[in-house]
Amino acid sequence: MKKIKLLTALTLAAGCALACTGCGGSSKNIASLDSNWYSGVNFTHFQPTFTEGNKDAAGNAAYSAEVIEYAVAFDGSTAANPTYTVEYPQGGTYTTTFTSKILGEDEIEKITLDEHRGYYNSKTMQVYYYKTELTIPEVKFTLKSDNTKTATLQGDSIVTENYFLSVADYLSPVYSKQTVKSATPRNYQISDINAAYVLINREYESFYLNKNNSPVEVVTKTTVKNEQGFADYGYADFEGTENGNAKTSTANALNIENTANTLFDVSALNVVARACKLTSGANLSQAINLYVPWSNAGVTDFGIAGSAAPLVLDKTADDNTAKLTELTSKLQTAGLYEEKKDAEGKTIGLQTVAVNVGTKAGVTQTYWFAAVTSTHDNVGHATMLKLSTPVAFGLGTLNYTLKTIHSTFIS
């Protein structure tokens, strides 16, 4: 299958130059993880107040999910493609929902294949549930050699869902689903504007087999759909779908037991980066494996590295200061920032930590989280503040910046 390069935070368009400690050798490199979304990061299981349906001793609801909306904006200043450009005139939105669920038998049945169910508790199973929703209304491609040659298309609508275990079980994947409608860059060099993009309309469902709470096998069902405006073009594994009906292919089971590093599903990447040892800041460096259902490779080596890059929300100093103040106020209102002063009585500003994620060569995407300054009183819950991810083929950068905290859980 031809590799699809999506214009989203769903995965990396390419790789990055990062140290990959533990990538080789015969023994698995185990990721070091913390529950940084909790006030006490050393709590490795599921916090009751983060679990749907939890009640206090009086029978009152004592639960809240984390729901955050991000504004999506394009930065073309980093673009280096020689033959065409891309624009997102209306920007976009990206919403994340993070919670824990106790699944019943019917729900377990929906996210496991028949042959896998014997490996799970037949009555209940507790998991984390992480969902992302990306909406970009419009995308415009323009030929550099003749800027009258353009293509303006319906943009992206991408929803991902992921079920995985707790930090105690290394966030082991159980099930993921990606519903992708995307007008995605197709080539690096073009002479015809129609060669600049591919329209993708697909759904991927990945079912993991876990033994001893460790993933050993995955099966992915891929459905190609033919809806107006989003016919799926150019992929030989689904011949005839351009003018046909939806068609589903079930891949053979892929053995993932012997990966070099701890394995995660790509649609949980935001949580995986958030779970790293953020207190180590720029000293952070570890290798992981990601299962990417639309990739030829399937399982790919990735590196996670801390960075000293400051959180920048605007290119001008005054506007950047104003936006940082606004962001800090939003966090404080949600109980995710507590004003403190240094020895001289000066207010300590919002502390952040940057994390780069990518493969061993190429470009990277960068996260900024609220820094973990105390493992026992983690006020900021390592909230994701911004994500910068490259657009494929050197076409620029998409920035996802925290806009609205709709809810945050009780810790």
Side-chain angles (χ1 to χ4, degrees), residues 257-277:
E257 184 173 13
N258 298 315
T259 56
N261 314 295
T262 304
L263 182 132
F264 309 95
D265 187 280
V266 68
S267 56
L269 181 56
N270 293 353
V271 178
V272 175
R274 187 178 182 181
C276 288
K277 299 288 183 180

Side-chain angles (χ1 to χ4, degrees), residues 278-290:
L278 299 183
T279 51
S280 62
N283 295 322
L284 169 64
S285 178
Q286 68 176 340
I288 63 170
N289 282 118
L290 291 179

Side-chain angles (χ1 to χ4, degrees), residues 213-244:
N213 294 332
S214 179
V216 298
E217 182 181 285
V218 63
V219 175
T220 297
K221 293 182 178 180
T222 304
T223 301
V224 171
K225 301 176 181 179
N226 184 28
E227 298 175 18
Q228 185 175 4
F230 274 104
D232 192 277
Y233 294 103
Y235 296 95
D237 59 329
F238 285 92
E239 293 178 3
T241 58
E242 182 175 330
N243 298 306

Side-chain angles (χ1 to χ4, degrees), residues 294-329:
W294 50 86
S295 166
N296 282 329
V299 175
T300 304
D301 289 341
F302 281 77
I304 299 180
S307 167
L311 174 62
V312 176
L313 302 179
D314 200 281
K315 293 179 180 179
T316 65
D318 288 346
D319 288 342
N320 188 60
T321 298
K323 289 184 178 180
L324 282 170
T325 300
E326 181 184 0
L327 177 60
T328 302
S329 178

Side-chain angles (χ1 to χ4, degrees), residues 87-222:
E87 299 173 72
Y88 303 87
Q90 301 176 51
T93 59
Y94 182 66
T95 303
T96 64
T97 301
F98 190 25
T99 189
S100 173
K101 297 173 178 277
I102 298 176
L103 306 180
E105 288 183 88
D106 290 346
E107 293 169 300
I108 294 173
E109 183 174 333
K110 291 177 183 177
I111 64 169
T112 54
L113 298 175
D114 290 341
E115 59 270 28
H116 289 184
R117 288 181 196 134
Y119 292 94
Y120 295 107
N121 185 313
S122 61
K123 300 296 182 182
T124 63
M125 176 170 61
Q126 186 158 10
V127 294
Y128 280 119
Y129 173 74
Y130 185 71
K131 180 179 182 180
T132 70
E133 300 169 87
L134 173 68
T135 302
I136 297 178
E138 184 180 275
V139 57
K140 180 180 180 181
F141 296 90
T142 302
L143 197 64
K144 279 191 168 182
S145 61
D146 182 355
N147 61 17
T148 66
K149 302 291 178 62
T150 66
T152 300
L153 306 161
Q154 184 177 343
D156 292 349
S157 173
I158 298 175
V159 179
T160 77
E161 296 178 89
N162 203 305
Y163 295 75
F164 49 93
L165 303 181
S166 70
V167 167
D169 294 312
Y170 301 99
L171 305 179
S172 292
V174 174
Y175 169 85
S176 72
K177 180 179 179 180
Q178 299 91 17
T179 304
V180 180
K181 291 183 178 180
S182 178
T184 297
R186 186 173 189 171
N187 296 295
Y188 180 67
Q189 291 190 326
I190 63 167
S191 56
D192 179 350
I193 194 61
N194 293 318
Y197 60 89
V198 58
L199 300 177
I200 298 167
N201 188 6
R202 291 193 166 202
E203 180 180 278
Y204 303 89
E205 283 190 286
S206 298
F207 302 83
Y208 290 85
L209 169 60
N210 280 265
K211 293 181 179 178
N212 300 318
N213 294 332
S214 179
V216 298
E217 182 181 285
V218 63
V219 175
T220 297
K221 293 182 178 180
T222 304

